[in-house]
Amino acid sequence: FPSHDTAAFDHSAIQMYFYIKKYSKQYRVPEAYAFAVAYRESRYKGPLDLNYDHRLTSSGGAVGPMQIIPQYAHKYAGRRVTPQELRNNIQLNVKVSMKMLRKWYDIHKDWGLAAGAYNTGQPVMNGYARAILNKDSSAAVGDAGIRYQNYGNADLVKIAGNTVIQSQPNPNITYRDWE
């Protein structure tokens, strides 16, 4: 594990999962595309990704799990936000990301162009956009050979090799648990 607070670290992958589900639904972003963006931006592999660290900063200045450039986040957050807040606050970062994706889709009426615009600022169909349209997050495999995949209404699906080892929603965890 990277050297940081283990208690906070253990929950970041679970928080990502619930906030992506919550805000993709709220802003009408297809869930599979939202998870694919998270994978492309920060290699997020799902709620079982014990090695996930959301506190990233790119060489271009994009921060956090969904790699948001701070100067563009203010209008989506409805206030000024610091790069540190955007990097460390999973809820804020995911919410801003889903608002941005929705805005790009509303302008271009195409999820591929929306993904390209999210990535470059321009509505382009590049490799990033094609990966999002192909929902390129399911290929993510954890160190233990267990991967997460979203199958319709199942909230958690753990797969080891080709065997599904858990595929039921967890009724004991709600979005409220992370707010």
Side-chain angles (χ1 to χ4, degrees):
F1 289 117
S3 60
H4 49 38
D5 179 43
T6 304
F9 177 72
D10 289 345
H11 297 292
S12 64
I14 296 169
Q15 287 182 38
M16 277 289 289
Y17 175 78
F18 283 104
Y19 287 134
I20 290 170
K21 286 186 73 74
K22 176 181 180 173
Y23 291 119
S24 66
K25 181 177 182 178
Q26 182 175 336
Y27 295 106
R28 301 177 335 273
V29 173
E31 190 176 282
Y33 296 161
F35 279 105
V37 169
Y39 177 74
R40 298 295 295 182
E41 294 297 344
S42 63
R43 291 299 184 244
Y44 176 68
K45 298 173 187 170
L48 306 175
D49 186 356
L50 299 178
N51 293 315
Y52 183 68
D53 187 359
H54 66 280
R55 298 168 298 179
L56 306 171
T57 302
S58 75
S59 60
V63 297
M66 303 300 271
Q67 291 292 280
I68 307 292
I69 296 175
Q71 72 187 49
Y72 301 122
H74 308 304
K75 72 178 182 178
Y76 297 99
R79 62 183 175 80
R80 292 205 58 78
V81 294
T82 66
Q84 294 79 13
E85 181 183 18
L86 201 56
R87 182 181 64 242
N88 297 325
N89 185 328
I90 294 171
Q91 180 180 15
L92 175 64
N93 193 284
V94 172
K95 184 176 185 178
V96 165
S97 171
M98 294 303 109
K99 282 183 165 183
M100 293 174 105
L101 282 165
R102 182 75 224 176
K103 182 209 73 160
W104 285 116
Y105 177 80
D106 287 346
I107 291 170
H108 302 293
K109 306 295 187 222
D110 181 287
W111 285 111
L113 295 178
Y118 182 90
N119 177 241
T120 68
Q122 300 296 319
V124 296
M125 186 56 73
N126 58 6
Y128 179 97
R130 283 188 289 281
I132 300 308
L133 290 179
N134 289 329
K135 302 172 191 123
D136 185 16
S137 63
S138 62
V141 177
D143 293 339
I146 296 175
R147 63 187 164 125
Y148 158 81
Q149 187 148 349
N150 180 20
Y151 288 106
N153 294 328
D155 280 348
L156 292 176
V157 177
K158 285 174 29 177
I159 302 170
N162 292 323
T163 305
V164 174
I165 56 177
Q166 180 182 354
S167 63
Q168 298 158 20
N170 183 344
N172 300 318
I173 300 175
T174 66
Y175 296 131
R176 290 187 312 276
D177 293 331
W178 298 110
E179 295 183 340

